[in-house]
Amino acid sequence: MKVRKLIPLGFIALCFFMSSNLFAQKRDFYELRTYHIENAEQEAMLDDYLSKAFIPAAHKNGIAKVGVFKPIASQPDAGTKVYLFIPFKSMDEYLALEGKLAKDQTYQTAGSAYINAAFDKPPYKRIESSVLQAMTGQPKFAESELTNAKKDRVYELRSYEGPTERLYKQKVKMFNSGEMDIFSRINCSPIFYAETIAGANMPNLVYMTTHENMEIRNEHWKVFGADAAWKGMKDLPEYQNTVSRNDTRLLYPAEYSDL
């Protein structure tokens, strides 16, 4: 009789362990949206929409943090792009958001100038969007640990394109097997690492690190290049020729950005 009672308890414990383990490994999905803009008027309209309509509506629908980033003044694309980073717990949450916004009267009212913009006064030139999935080495996004003024920060958004799917996967492995650890160890306060599952430059991975200012950003890269772990892995045969193009964007967070 005692054995028969213990079997169900053991089975329940095993199921709980397995479900907890699966939950721990669940990875975020992200949308990385790039608004291409042509003038200060479009930027102001976009800022108003994101800060007063979209981000509050996202919060209401369970998306706790939304990032908005712009190129720093020294970059050639300064004033021409606004980046929007939206983390989702699942693809279902991602797919459901647009429908929820369509039914949200508060959002519709707050975002009316953007939503109902005239054809000859649009709030942007074009929108470019990628759907990403967090890497296993950091399955959830993280807030930056920086505390200095947002306008002084440098957030580094990098996309590493692979020449083939096989070689791209080796670069992902490299990140999951130690490269992420180096960034954390040298205090780059990474926000996310992700694989692109739908976008223009596949196969590619995308990640974002954060730095107090440009001087510290440059120092971080010097430290990274001299790191013993990096030196030990960068010349391994399995990691050769994994990146065919490195696209680097130096950004700062908008004052109303959550991240």
Side-chain angles (χ1 to χ4, degrees):
M1 181 63 72
K2 290 182 180 179
V3 173
R4 289 167 63 184
K5 286 184 178 179
L6 286 173
I7 291 174
L9 290 173
F11 179 73
I12 291 170
L14 177 62
C15 289
F16 177 78
F17 172 79
M18 291 176 67
S19 63
S20 297
N21 192 46
L22 287 171
F23 179 78
Q25 294 178 7
K26 191 173 182 181
R27 294 186 281 164
D28 280 342
F29 288 89
Y30 309 128
E31 181 184 4
L32 183 60
R33 192 182 303 176
T34 306
Y35 290 91
H36 295 263
I37 57 176
E38 297 180 296
N39 51 56
E41 184 179 358
Q42 287 185 331
E43 184 175 0
M45 188 181 296
L46 194 55
D47 283 335
D48 189 72
Y49 163 71
L50 293 174
S51 63
K52 297 178 181 177
F54 182 82
I55 292 178
H59 291 168
K60 186 165 65 175
N61 284 285
I63 301 169
K65 303 291 180 180
V66 177
V68 182
F69 316 108
K70 302 178 181 183
I72 64 175
S74 63
Q75 298 302 291
D77 58 351
T80 67
K81 293 185 179 74
V82 175
Y83 294 84
L84 179 66
F85 173 76
I86 316 167
F88 297 94
K89 301 179 186 70
S90 68
M91 280 299 293
D92 286 342
E93 186 178 50
Y94 165 70
L95 294 170
L97 181 60
E98 185 175 353
K100 291 179 178 179
L101 295 181
K103 299 175 182 178
D104 186 336
Q105 191 54 53
T106 301
Y107 161 79
Q108 293 290 325
T109 300
S112 179
Y114 172 96
I115 296 166
N116 300 307
F119 78 95
D120 55 349
K121 288 189 176 181
Y124 50 80
K125 182 180 179 181
R126 286 289 89 187
I127 299 175
E128 178 184 343
S129 184
S130 295
V131 179
L132 317 171
Q133 185 173 25
M135 292 188 198
T136 57
Q138 185 174 311
K140 304 291 180 184
F141 80 96
E143 293 186 61
S144 173
E145 297 175 358
L146 303 184
T147 58
N148 64 317
K150 289 181 177 179
K151 64 180 179 60
D152 297 328
R153 301 179 193 176
V154 176
Y155 282 22
E156 188 156 0
L157 179 68
R158 287 197 170 206
S159 168
Y160 289 167
E161 299 172 19
T164 69
E165 289 97 331
R166 179 185 66 83
L167 290 167
Y168 155 75
K169 289 174 183 176
Q170 287 302 107
K171 186 59 180 176
V172 173
K173 178 185 176 183
M174 191 178 189
F175 267 86
N176 287 323
S177 300
E179 193 165 349
M180 290 183 195
D181 297 333
I182 302 172
F183 283 118
S184 295
R185 188 166 63 252
I186 66 175
N187 299 318
C188 288
S189 191
I191 289 180
F192 72 92
Y193 300 92
E195 301 180 56
T196 303
I197 59 176
N201 300 307
M202 297 175 67
N204 70 307
L205 62 85
V206 185
Y207 70 100
M208 178 179 277
T209 54
T210 66
H211 319 269
E212 284 89 343
N213 53 50
M214 184 63 77
E215 182 180 358
I216 291 175
R217 177 261 181 188
N218 294 339
E219 182 59 31
H220 279 158
W221 277 111
K222 288 180 183 178
V223 174
F224 183 95
D227 188 88
W230 173 246
K231 289 183 175 180
M233 72 187 323
K234 69 183 181 68
D235 294 326
L236 292 175
E238 64 180 308
Y239 297 139
Q240 298 308 297
N241 304 308
T242 57
V243 178
S244 56
R245 180 171 179 262
N246 167 7
D247 183 57
T248 298
R249 307 287 169 168
L250 300 180
L251 316 170
Y252 71 94
E255 197 58 42
Y256 57 85
S257 175
D258 293 327
L259 297 171

